[in-house]
């Protein structure tokens, strides 16, 4: 038998998926029975030990309606806890031999089309299944039924070929400006494209809804969104498909009242966005490990700033963007204080590293807060009318600028490195030598009491600062800080390898960057953390794209200036990136081991930097530049906590 | 009618209480009905808002037995959750007019003797009620019945007068060596004796059981014991009745295996005693506010060290004391570490102040840990056989001494004060001006997130260090540190005023000390915290005794040397203390406004210091010394958080 199946979840038809299913015997005619179903209240996969997996609910849906006729059926349910009504419907086109028969049945939790046919070689049974989906917290069951029926009718009318053609056209439009081509490692070429596609899929039809940490691919993290979205998912998405970034940020903006209320309840001003949420309320149960991670507010502001810089979308700025900048700036101003020496300190908060909590002056948090304060002041001062509407005066913006300029960054002069938060480098180092490989992830084997008070890092934290706020560090300082934290970072979080990849490449550890890039990109394809059944790790996949672009492409894009310091690991012979530079300007960069080629695809003029040299691109003539030989840096000590990094074998180049 | 009632809970008859109840009409004969009951499964008083009050259980006891005959009855129940069997029985002696009649009845939750009589002037109805009590997790109902019947028979045989006489003799023996006499403030004289009695009552018949934070006076704190016992209750109890101190510490020693197990589970060595417990297991639900308060281990060690110093009880040392010192020392050695400069740091723990959590190098914790390490080394080196039995060698004690000597004490050179923990003085100060009086206690009105990260102190913390580890500070430093923390300490805990009183007196704020002393002593008599219905605050009452002895008596007793710096507040004309000095040596000190009189009551010779002058007492001749005029210190700024301190009006002395 030859069975072929093609599936798509449409980017162009809202709430439509389709499957083309073909069955054909290779030798003799054979009777085939195909069951095409809608099933609900299925038992979810349960993770037995891992507290991070969501507790699956038993039968969370109550049936409101079920029915079927001819080749279609519909099930409507209401979620028991949250009272949302959910409709799912299917219709089919069946193309088979003359004896093909179909039977439809429908029960509260199951609808099924049974197709029987005697199929012979050369006369395949071809079934197209169209699935429509809709939900609402307000609309009635009949209204929802109409809506889903209509969507389904449109999809059936368009047909499989039409849906496929529209899907391809949509995606061609994306990849034309966002593809990442890798030569020399086919597995990673596939992985990075999988990553880019999954990132797009999680976000492209979000339509002012949150982007959950697992997208819609599994029950992990209870469907909640975290800082993952703004810090990891939106940056590469901004290059691929800016409208989805605007959607995601408009969703945040719609939750602003709840965030203001939470700030007030904490004795703060402005808005305090929740650490984890679906609707905008804080869903984190243990505040030191959740709500105290205020840096999410800076990630939101940073995403707004980046979006405005690339798109110049002034309507978004006026409707949502600037208010987000202002309310997060107000939060920081009230959360921090100027000490006796005038320095602006932010005490008692939790930074990115989840093996620390409630510390003073986390470097990443402080630098991102400073940038948030400055961005808000800049945005307001350019828009005096908006300033009045948002109630911001010159006194307030002056206070933001003063705080940003006086931000306190702790430094350990004896070690010559930045502590990730005040006092961190004085703590006892984790006893890596006595930690066997099977004791990772540490959170499942050691009490948080022990993790919190020692030098052990779950995920890039100070290294996040080196990447996201790189302009505050000299290259030498970056190299020292990176090497210091390498020894301590165990990557028990999936939000680590991608950032480490980008910074490793920058400071000269290109092969190490390659290893980290592979880990981030293969996390789900190879199920490296043994929890992909709970859903894929969208942030790590998005981060893998960033690792390729910012690590091997060497792109930095701060304050409107595009600069490149490209460098390839030994195994790769070519990296090519199509990039959205500014608004409608498009750039292609092709990196080979010893040279880089820059081509202005669309646009009048673009200034870029290549290893510090200013290049002005004005035509679509490719411009080539040599890549200087890599710094032959000693690789940093193999991190003792890094139990699971698989070294990639560099292919020998001819 | 004249009704008089006298009650006692016997110190000499185990598990016996008695009531003498007399009724007599003043004019005409009258019929009287008296009901004498045993009641169980009563509804407990519920605190509606305060999370600190225990959640009262509904009908926690299941009936095993009930019965009554003649003038007596017994109820036996088993606690539903913990499976303990509890027996309570009563018997009576009734002395009344000839028509006196009695009826006994008994139900599962109620036993009642009804007494009717026509009582005439001059012929009172006199009822003596004897109550016996027993419990066991192992003995059977019949065995428990026998035990309680026997105790009750003994009490009836002894009779009211006999019980009263034995009670008086026992207490005379206590107060002869432990009374605190105050002239000039009758209310505080009563209060401090109430305090001393309640402290004794909570502990004297503990018999190797825990001393709960509320004694047996109410359901608050679920019957759990905390560091209150060792840090606050045992020091004055050691002067009054040392056997009960040994009992309490032997109870701790019996829980050592659980404490060792908990240390292991935290990746530590030695023993980690629980923050709150009944049986020795950790019952604190939120570790940053509970289990991370390791200083309880130092309080236990300190109580052992004090007990051994005063009693020279070598049997206790061998059986329990030294092992407690050793296992707590091992805990500290594994909890802390030597940093690059060799300093011994203890990171990520919670100190006494419950408005801070998880900080590095809490000064009180570090100093008490250092003392613990040194005391263990001293105790072991004096007992080589015991050292071998406990597996301690010279390497280990050397490690303890090195850590103790290198203990890191943070200091804020710009302010000239000690931060209570590293970084504390850099934090933002609590906005006291915007905190209305009705918002105290703060924990009921502000999130812990906000309290933890700011300079606001629930209870003496650094000031605890000034008192318990005073030898580490110069007098000038004490004055500066005390003044600094006065502004910040809101006394939302009942464990604060007594320590502040002792240190205020020492640094020269004698009138302020008097205010704090009054608050500690009157806490329950005046229900200052509106929660005495949940049970009395034993630690505050014990602390009031300490405030009188160490504050106005000015006694310091470190390393075997008794020194006095007595000073009276304006309202008091005399303070007299009977003190247990060493083993069998007894001392009396009488303080008047301008002189102190020391008398050796029992013993051959005693060296004491009076304002630094060495005095050797060898006879029972009183020795008088002048008290130098008090430092006329400016009182510290009225603490802005101190919303409830009632200033006592100093009486004008003639």
């Amino acid at each position: 038998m030859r069975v072929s199946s093609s599936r798509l979840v449409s980017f162009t038809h809202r709430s439509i998926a389709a499957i083309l299913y073909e069955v054909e015997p290779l030798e003799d005619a054979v009777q085939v029975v195909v069951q095409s179903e809608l099933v609900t209240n299925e038992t979810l996969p349960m993770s037995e030990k891992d507290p991070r997996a969501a507790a699956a609910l038993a039968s969370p849906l109550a049936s409101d309606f079920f029915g079927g006729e001819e080749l279609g059926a519909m099930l409507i349910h209401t979620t028991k806890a949250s009272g949302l009504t959910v409709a799912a419907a299917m219709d089919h086109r069946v193309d088979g031999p003359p004896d093909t028969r179909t039977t439809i049945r429908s029960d509260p939790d199951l609808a099924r089309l049974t197709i029987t046919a005697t199929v012979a070689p050369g006369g395949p049974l071809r079934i197209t299944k169209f699935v429509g989906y809709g939900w609402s917290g307000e609309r009635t069951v009949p209204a929802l039924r109409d809506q889903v029926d209509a969507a389904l009718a449109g999809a059936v009318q368009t047909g499989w070929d039409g849906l496929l053609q529209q899907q391809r056209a949509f995606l061609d439009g994306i990849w034309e400006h966002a593809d990442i081509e890798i030569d020399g490692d086919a597995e990673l070429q596939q992985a990075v494209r999988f990553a880019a596609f999954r990132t797009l899929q999680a976000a492209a039809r979000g339509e002012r809804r949150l982007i959950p940490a697992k997208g819609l691919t599994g029950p992990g993290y209870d469907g909640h969104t975290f800082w993952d979205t703004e810090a990891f998912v939106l940056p590469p998405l901004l290059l691929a498909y800016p409208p989805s970034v605007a959607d995601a940020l408009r969703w945040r903006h719609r939750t602003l009242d709840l965030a203001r209320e939470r700030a007030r309840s904490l004795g703060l001003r402005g808005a305090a966005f929740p650490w984890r949420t679906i609707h905008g309320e804080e869903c984190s149960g243990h505040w030191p490990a959740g709500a105290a991670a205020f840096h999410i507010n800076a990630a939101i502001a940073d995403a707004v700033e980046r979006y405005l810089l690339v798109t110049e979308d002034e309507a978004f700025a006026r409707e949502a963007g600037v208010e987000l900048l202002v309310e997060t700036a107000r939060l920081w101003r009230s959360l921090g204080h100027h000490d006796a020496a005038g320095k602006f300190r932010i005490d008692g908060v939790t930074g990115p590293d989840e093996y620390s909590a409630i510390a003073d002056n986390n470097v990443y948090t402080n630098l991102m807060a400073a940038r948030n304060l400055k961005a808000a002041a800049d945005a307001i001062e350019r828009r005096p009318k908006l300033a009045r509407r948002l109630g911001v005066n010159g006194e307030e913006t002056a206070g933001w600028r003063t705080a940003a300029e006086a931000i306190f960054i702790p430094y350990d002069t004896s070690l010559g490195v930045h502590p990730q938060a005040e006092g961190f480098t004085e703590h006892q180092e984790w006893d890596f030598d006595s930690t066997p490989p099977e004791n990772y992830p540490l959170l499942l084997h050691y009490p948080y009491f022990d993790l919190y008070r020692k030098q052990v890092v779950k995920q890039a934290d100070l290294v996040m600062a080196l990447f996201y706020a790189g302009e505050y560090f000299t290259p030498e300082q970056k190299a020292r800080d990176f090497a210091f934290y390498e020894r301590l970072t165990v990557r028990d979080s999936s939000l680590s390898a991608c950032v480490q990849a980008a910074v490793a490449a920058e400071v000269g550890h290109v092969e190490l960057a390659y290893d980290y890039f592979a880990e981030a990109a293969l996390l789900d394809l190879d199920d490296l953390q043994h929890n992909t059944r709970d859903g894929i790790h969208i942030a790590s996949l998005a981060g893998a794209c960033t690792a390729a672009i910012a690590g091997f492409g060497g792109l930095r894009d701060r304050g409107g200036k595009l600069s490149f310091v490209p460098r390839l690991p030994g195994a790769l012979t070519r990296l090519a990136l199509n990039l959205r530079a500014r608004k409608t300007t498009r750039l292609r960069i092709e990196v080979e081991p010893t040279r880089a080629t820059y081509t202005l695809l669309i646009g009048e003029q673009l200034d870029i930097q290549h290893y510090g040299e200013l290049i002005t691109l004005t035509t679509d003539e490719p411009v080539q530049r040599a890549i200087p030989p890599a710094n032959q840096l000693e690789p940093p000590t193999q991190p003792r906590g890094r139990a699971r990094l698989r070294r990639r074998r560099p292919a020998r180049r001819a």
Side-chain angles (χ1 to χ4, degrees), chain A:
Chain A
M1 300 279 287
R2 179 187 297 119
V3 176
S4 74
S5 165
S6 304
R7 290 168 292 174
L8 67 83
V9 179
S10 179
F11 282 103
T12 57
H13 282 246
R14 199 172 188 276
S15 308
I16 289 293
I19 303 174
L20 174 66
Y21 197 82
E22 281 188 334
V23 183
E24 182 180 5
L26 298 181
E27 296 176 358
D28 300 317
V30 66
Q31 189 196 41
V32 171
V33 181
V34 177
Q35 295 177 319
S36 171
E37 299 182 335
L38 292 176
V39 184
T40 191
N41 280 325
E42 271 189 308
T43 303
L44 291 171
M46 283 292 286
S47 184
E48 282 154 41
K49 283 193 202 157
D50 189 338
R52 295 167 298 186
L57 292 161
S59 291
L61 297 160
S63 174
D64 289 320
F65 169 86
F66 61 94
E69 51 183 334
E70 298 185 12
L71 300 177
M74 182 179 289
L75 303 180
I76 305 186
H77 290 75
T78 296
T79 59
K80 288 177 186 167
S82 48
L84 301 176
T85 305
V86 184
M90 60 179 178
D91 203 351
H92 298 80
R93 286 298 168 265
V94 180
D95 181 12
D99 74 340
T100 302
R101 290 192 53 188
T102 62
T103 322
I104 191 83
R105 63 169 285 187
S106 184
D107 294 314
D109 285 353
L110 172 70
R112 179 196 286 158
L113 179 71
T114 304
I115 304 149
T116 55
T118 308
V119 190
L125 172 65
R126 180 184 159 102
I127 303 163
T128 313
K129 177 178 188 174
F130 302 91
V131 179
Y133 174 86
W135 68 271
S136 174
E138 291 160 11
R139 268 163 289 165
T140 60
V141 168
L144 209 54
R145 199 175 154 186
D146 289 350
Q147 175 195 321
V148 173
D149 272 338
L152 203 53
V156 172
Q157 163 82 6
T158 305
W160 171 262
D161 292 340
L163 287 175
L164 194 64
Q165 191 190 337
Q166 290 172 7
Q167 188 86 336
R168 188 178 299 280
F170 175 87
L171 286 170
D172 282 351
I174 300 286
W175 304 139
E176 190 184 343
H177 305 305
D179 189 22
I180 299 170
E181 298 167 50
I182 291 178
D183 286 355
D185 190 327
E187 185 184 21
L188 284 188
Q189 170 67 83
Q190 180 193 46
V192 78
R193 282 184 167 149
F194 171 82
F197 175 76
R198 285 298 205 171
T199 304
L200 182 72
Q201 195 180 46
R205 296 303 304 238
E207 296 179 5
R208 306 194 192 175
R209 294 279 161 193
L210 71 169
I211 302 174
K214 302 287 188 187
L216 295 174
T217 65
Y221 294 120
D222 305 294
H224 287 145
T225 190
F226 297 75
W227 73 308
D228 304 34
T229 298
E230 284 84 358
F232 292 85
V233 178
L234 298 194
L237 205 57
L238 179 61
L239 299 175
Y241 192 52
S244 65
V245 174
D247 279 349
L249 292 172
R250 283 181 191 276
W251 172 77
R252 281 284 185 201
H253 184 258
R254 283 173 47 186
T255 68
L256 201 46
D257 281 343
L258 284 168
R260 285 196 191 99
E261 194 179 306
R262 202 168 76 84
R264 265 197 304 278
S265 78
L266 294 172
L268 300 169
R269 297 189 62 232
F273 285 98
W275 179 241
R276 58 186 300 170
T277 191
I278 289 181
H279 291 298
E281 72 284 49
E282 177 60 79
C283 298
S284 169
H286 178 53
W287 71 261
F294 287 93
H295 61 80
I296 185 175
N297 296 284
I300 293 168
D302 189 53
V304 169
E305 197 190 351
R306 285 169 191 262
Y307 174 79
L308 290 177
L309 192 67
V310 168
T311 64
E312 300 173 18
D313 179 351
E314 192 58 21
F316 172 82
R318 291 182 183 282
E319 289 160 24
V322 176
E323 193 171 13
L324 286 170
L325 292 175
V326 164
E327 292 292 62
T328 47
R330 284 173 169 158
L331 179 84
W332 293 117
R333 186 60 195 83
S334 66
L335 184 61
H337 76 287
H338 289 282
D339 65 14
K343 283 292 178 190
F344 191 72
R345 299 173 51 98
I346 300 173
D347 295 329
V349 302
T350 298
D353 168 28
E354 294 178 353
Y355 288 168
S356 294
I358 307 297
D360 297 342
N361 299 298
N362 176 267
V363 170
Y364 170 78
T365 303
N366 281 20
L367 289 176
M368 295 297 281
R371 176 183 294 166
N372 191 161
L373 288 159
K374 183 174 175 306
D378 289 348
I380 275 295
E381 286 170 5
R382 278 198 304 273
R383 299 173 179 91
K385 264 175 67 182
L386 196 53
R388 278 194 296 280
R389 179 159 72 75
L390 298 175
V392 185
N393 59 26
E395 289 286 333
E396 188 167 16
T397 53
W400 296 344
R401 287 197 192 281
T402 305
E405 282 155 21
I407 195 74
F408 175 58
I409 304 301
Y411 189 70
D412 185 328
T413 49
S414 69
L415 294 173
V417 301
H418 288 88
Q420 70 178 33
E422 216 173 347
F424 179 81
T425 49
E426 311 275 358
H427 293 173
Q428 190 169 9
E429 198 172 296
W430 185 261
D431 186 357
F432 293 104
D433 292 339
S434 304
T435 307
E438 64 271 21
N439 279 9
Y440 294 85
L442 300 177
L443 74 158
L444 298 184
H445 298 89
Y446 300 91
Y448 271 101
F449 151 74
D450 208 21
L451 297 166
Y452 280 0
R453 74 197 179 92
K454 290 187 180 160
Q455 288 191 55
V456 57
V457 178
K458 186 180 181 190
Q459 64 211 101
D461 185 306
L462 195 278
V463 172
M464 282 285 290
L466 299 181
F467 183 56
Y468 284 73
E471 70 272 26
Y472 289 94
F473 302 85
T474 65
E476 298 71 31
Q477 187 63 57
K478 280 182 186 173
R480 273 206 306 278
D481 283 344
F482 178 82
F484 181 82
Y485 286 96
E486 268 301 282
R487 296 180 306 122
L488 303 172
T489 306
V490 298
R491 302 189 328 287
D492 284 346
S493 162
S494 65
L495 303 183
S496 198
C498 56
V499 180
Q500 287 174 279
V503 179
E506 179 176 357
V507 300
H509 300 299
V510 186
E511 299 305 328
L512 181 63
Y514 189 45
D515 298 338
Y516 283 138
F517 167 61
E519 183 174 282
L522 293 170
L523 190 67
D524 289 309
L525 287 175
D526 287 0
D527 196 9
L528 297 180
Q529 294 201 344
H530 311 292
N531 58 6
T532 296
R533 61 177 175 175
D534 299 326
I536 62 171
H537 301 77
I538 307 287
S540 178
L541 296 176
C545 300
T546 299
I549 298 165
F552 307 132
L555 168 63
R556 291 295 180 279
D557 179 9
R558 175 52 52 188
K561 298 187 194 79
L562 292 183
S563 68
F564 295 88
V565 186
R567 67 291 260 184
L568 293 185
L572 300 189
T573 54
R574 196 180 67 98
L575 169 79
L577 306 169
N578 293 344
L579 292 173
R580 182 180 307 268
R582 288 288 167 270
K583 233 175 155 181
T584 53
T585 307
R586 301 288 180 277
L587 174 72
R588 178 176 173 84
I589 164 173
E590 223 173 305
V591 186
E592 290 161 291
T594 59
R595 65 177 185 183
T597 309
Y598 301 92
T599 311
L600 185 62
L601 298 180
I602 305 177
E604 295 298 307
Q605 181 180 327
L606 182 66
D607 287 343
I608 62 166
Q609 286 195 350
H610 170 86
Y611 280 88
E613 175 203 354
L614 182 69
I615 304 172
T616 301
L617 302 170
T618 51
T619 68
D620 59 0
E621 279 299 297
V623 174
Q624 283 194 352
R625 287 293 184 276
I627 293 179
N631 294 334
Q632 291 301 331
L633 277 191
E634 277 299 299
T637 316
Q638 170 77 7
R640 281 167 292 183
R642 199 207 310 163
R644 293 159 305 161
L645 185 61
R646 305 189 191 169
R647 308 304 304 237
R648 287 192 81 74
R649 308 255 160 275
R652 286 298 105 208
R653 280 206 290 264

